Every structure is written in structure tokens, then in C-alpha cells.
Amino acid sequence: MTYQKLQIRRAPINIEDEKMIRLKGRLSPSSSPFRRLFQGDFSQRLSRFLFFRRAYSFLKNIQQKFNFSDYKDYFLTGCNYVLSNSSIDRIVNEVNDRSVFFGLYLPDSMVEEVLHFAAHAPCMEPGYSKNFLMRELDHNNCLPDGHQVFRALVNDTNQCSAVNVVAQDALLLRIASTYLRYHPTKITCHLTWSLASNLTKGEVQNQYPASNFHYDIAGYNFATAYFYITPVLDEDSGTHVMIRGSHKRKPIWMLLKSGRHSDESVYAYYGKSDEIQIQGKAGFGFFQDPSCIHKVKAPTSQNRLLLQIRYS
Ligand SMILES: [Fe+2]
């Protein structure tokens, strides 16, 4: 698929590749949540608190109003390939109320291009020193040296033109700007394989952090568009699970402890009635405030490929 040439925006947006940015998400390797809080970027750690994220949005909004000339061409990217039947206001209201909006769609040709790219590009897994290709994995998702891969982060997503186009999609930029109440100045692209395994849930959760309930801390305020690139049509194919409204509703112990929490503690506090299991065909997308409690239900039947565009 060919895309019209993107205009160069005057707004100081920084689009970055996913690998190092994701690894920056935890700046300290310490297992102690309190030690982690005081290592690395302390101020960013405060973004777990709703009042801090709102204060940041308020100040960023004022700052951008004073620098209006830098931002007045912000939405003139000349590209809109992401589809939705809803208005920006409705989308943003749903994210405000429920943490998520469903009903974004990628054209089939873009899904195919992203899938083809991810199937052939070098990948890495945090904690494993070598890059690898998906085709090197055997039927148990093990590499020739015996290492079992649970998640494969695709390197150099900026080499995929479809990913770049989605990252600058005018509809997504409008949703992100309206939700955050300022024009996001950093966009990161994450393309991640979650690999099927027949280990027990506990074993997978030890190896694959995102399969535990958690909330993201990824900047001072942030929002994410997600697209399934492979179909997720049942619980076993990599369902994204989340707790409705939890971006605004967390007990203090959950805010002060680490971002990661057991199923038992999450269900004990929220019950199961607010749990949402998100399924959809390839190309289905949703927009979420990832401050909500969420996880991937680790796939067992097939590998899942997810594209995430994070605005902060
Ligand atoms: Fe997450």
C-alpha cells in the first residue's frame, strides 16, 4: 500500500521506536517498589496519581496556549486511515467514564503490512541477550538454544511505513489531544508478539510481567491506541483484560505498592462485574487510558500480535 507523503509538522512531536522506550518504563531494576520509587525518574513515578496527571495536563495546556504558533498546524498530518463511526466527544467521554473506547479499525491492507513486517523483523525479549526472528521459533516457541520466548518486541518499528502512518493518524491525534487536554509531544510505537505457551498460568506470569494485572506508568500523562494485528476471538488467543473505570478508582495501597497486582487482590477489590475482556478480529482497535488496571491473558492457542501507539 502506498501512502501520501506526510507533511512535516511544526509541532515538536517526537516519534520513537518502542524497544528502548519500553525498557525505560522501569528505570530501576530493584525488586523493592519503594526503592524503585526513589530511583530513576521520581517525578514520572508520580503519574500513578490521578491528581498529578490532571495537574500536568492543565499546565501543559497553558504552556501550549502560550506557544500557539508551534501547535496551530498540529493536526495537518494529511493522513487519516484509522476508521471509527463515533464522534471525538463520544470517544473521549467513554474513555473518561470507562477507561476505554471500542470501535477503531485499521484497513486490511495496513494490517497485512504490519503483520508481514513483524513476521520478518528482528525481535528481542527483555532479559534475553540476543535478537531473533519469529521464524527461528519452534512449535513450542523455543529458540534453537532452548530459550522459550513469551513476548517478542519487534525492533525498529519506524522501519514499517504503516506503523508510522498510524502513529501520525489525524483521528488518533485528535482523540489523544482531546483526552489528554494538550497536544502530545511524544509518540511511541510498540509492536509486540505475545507467544502461546502451554505452561501453567502462574509459570507464565513469572516470565511475562504484562500477563499480571498492572497499570502503566509511562510519562507524566499518557493514553494508548491498541490494534489487534492477529485476530483475538476467544479467551485463548491473547485477550486484553481490563477493569472498567479503574483509571480513576484505585485504593491507596494499590497506588503506593508496585504497579503490578495479583488476580486475587484485583478481584477482591473490584469484583468481577467491572472486568472487560476485549476480543476482536484483526484490525480491531480500542483507545484506552492505560492507568487502568489491565493485563494480557497469555495466549495458549495462537500467537498474538498487538500494535500500540502511546501518546504522552
Ligand atoms: Fe500495560
Side-chain angles (χ1 to χ4, degrees):
M1 184 171 182
T2 54
Y3 308 104
Q4 63 188 98
K5 197 169 187 306
L6 295 179
Q7 294 181 23
I8 304 299
R9 272 201 303 277
R10 288 157 60 185
I13 275 194
N14 180 11
I15 299 183
E16 297 195 55
D17 185 19
E18 53 80 25
K19 184 173 74 171
M20 292 315 297
I21 300 302
R22 174 169 296 195
L23 296 179
K24 283 179 199 165
R26 175 171 288 182
L27 297 173
S28 165
S30 172
S31 59
S32 161
F34 290 104
R35 190 166 292 170
R36 282 204 303 270
L37 186 62
F38 289 99
Q39 290 179 342
D41 187 340
F42 173 74
S43 55
Q44 185 170 308
R45 296 291 178 261
L46 292 173
S47 66
R48 68 185 60 209
F49 299 105
L50 179 63
F51 78 88
F52 182 89
R53 298 195 300 277
R54 286 184 169 167
Y56 178 77
S57 282
F58 177 75
L59 295 173
K60 195 85 177 169
N61 180 284
I62 290 175
Q63 180 213 23
Q64 291 185 349
K65 278 190 173 133
F66 278 107
N67 295 292
F68 178 71
S69 60
D70 285 346
Y71 292 92
K72 72 186 176 61
D73 294 335
Y74 189 86
F75 296 116
L76 299 178
T77 65
C79 86
N80 171 225
Y81 293 92
V82 174
L83 307 171
S84 174
N85 289 328
S86 296
S87 68
I88 301 286
D89 284 348
R90 184 175 158 216
I91 293 170
V92 169
N93 284 341
E94 290 205 11
V95 181
N96 267 323
D97 290 346
R98 312 192 319 170
S99 320
V100 69
F101 166 80
F102 307 111
L104 302 174
Y105 301 92
L106 277 188
D108 290 347
S109 56
M110 296 182 91
V111 173
E112 283 165 22
E113 184 176 332
V114 175
L115 181 60
H116 183 267
F117 176 82
H120 297 88
C123 299
M124 60 85 66
E125 181 172 47
Y128 181 70
S129 60
K130 294 180 236 165
N131 284 346
F132 54 89
L133 299 171
M134 287 296 288
R135 68 166 177 265
E136 295 178 71
L137 298 170
D138 67 13
H139 62 282
N140 288 321
N141 284 322
C142 292
L143 289 165
D145 66 3
H147 173 75
Q148 181 167 4
V149 180
F150 291 90
R151 59 174 163 162
L153 314 186
V154 180
N155 292 341
D156 301 325
T157 54
N158 56 9
Q159 299 295 313
C160 178
S161 57
V163 169
N164 286 331
V165 168
V166 178
Q168 298 196 59
D169 187 89
L171 175 68
L172 294 182
L173 283 169
R174 281 196 180 279
I175 298 169
S177 300
T178 309
Y179 181 70
L180 293 172
R181 298 172 194 266
Y182 63 88
H183 300 313
T185 50
K186 188 163 163 188
I187 303 173
T188 58
C189 306
H190 311 260
L191 195 48
T192 307
W193 289 101
S194 296
L195 300 181
S197 138
N198 49 21
L199 297 183
T200 65
K201 181 175 147 191
E203 287 171 321
V204 175
Q205 286 181 328
N206 277 337
Q207 302 292 329
Y208 186 4
S211 64
N212 296 271
F213 273 124
H214 66 281
Y215 55 86
D216 292 357
I217 300 171
Y220 299 106
N221 201 358
F222 40 87
T224 304
Y226 301 76
F227 294 94
Y228 289 147
I229 304 300
T230 50
V232 177
L233 299 177
D234 56 44
E235 276 192 43
D236 301 325
S237 47
T239 302
H240 185 98
V241 182
M242 56 170 287
I243 304 295
R244 184 193 340 248
S246 54
H247 65 307
K248 294 198 284 198
R249 186 166 59 92
K250 292 189 201 73
I252 191 71
W253 57 265
M254 202 176 267
L255 289 166
L256 294 178
K257 218 174 146 224
S258 79
R260 199 185 306 170
H261 298 276
S262 68
D263 289 8
E264 294 72 26
S265 62
V266 168
Y267 293 136
Y269 182 78
Y270 293 102
K272 284 212 169 183
S273 58
D274 282 328
E275 181 181 273
I276 303 175
Q277 300 205 4
I278 303 174
Q279 291 163 6
K281 63 178 189 145
F284 172 80
F286 50 100
F287 196 92
Q288 185 188 64
D289 183 334
S291 302
C292 73
I293 307 285
H294 62 276
K295 67 175 180 177
V296 54
K297 187 172 186 303
T300 54
S301 62
Q302 62 181 58
N303 299 336
R304 181 195 79 170
L305 179 62
L306 180 73
L307 172 63
Q308 298 177 62
I309 311 292
R310 180 180 293 144
Y311 300 87
S312 59

